[in-house]
Amino acid sequence: MEEQGVGWIAAIVIGGIAGWLAEKFMESKMGVIMNIILGIVGAIVANAILGLFGIALGGWLGYLIAGFIGAVILIWVGRLIKR
């Protein structure tokens, strides 16, 4: 996260926002802690996937977008596994 110019505290705040946005978009019911985890892990997942295509998102806005995309993917995969 430091390579992208986002510190740990900012990663928690941005991850929480990204997780919350994904929760609302996917209409799921999760708590604040799960939203933060989804946003942070989602950003890591999305950056890895986007990196395969040569796309790099950096900074606060990039981290928020990647966190949202990744959190949506994680919620979707979680629903697939639950079924």
Side-chain angles (χ1 to χ4, degrees), residues 18-70:
W20 178 77
L21 289 171
E23 175 187 49
K24 296 301 177 192
F25 181 75
M26 297 294 288
E27 298 177 352
S28 64
K29 306 274 191 237
M30 301 188 184
V32 174
I33 300 298
M34 194 60 179
N35 285 341
I36 293 170
I37 293 169
L38 274 174
I40 293 172
V41 174
I44 294 167
V45 169
N47 278 325
I49 292 170
L50 293 173
L52 295 174
F53 297 104
I55 301 170
L57 300 175
W60 289 59
L61 184 59
Y63 192 80
L64 179 64
I65 292 168
F68 172 75
I69 292 169

Side-chain angles (χ1 to χ4, degrees), residues 1-2 4 19 22 28 31 34 42 47-48 60-61 64-67 69 73-74 77 81-83:
M1 280 177 266
E2 290 296 330
Q4 300 169 343
S28 64
M34 194 60 179
N47 278 325
W60 289 59
L61 184 59
L64 179 64
I65 292 168
I69 292 169
I73 291 170
L74 290 174
V77 168
I81 292 173
K82 238 182 181 180
R83 292 181 186 176

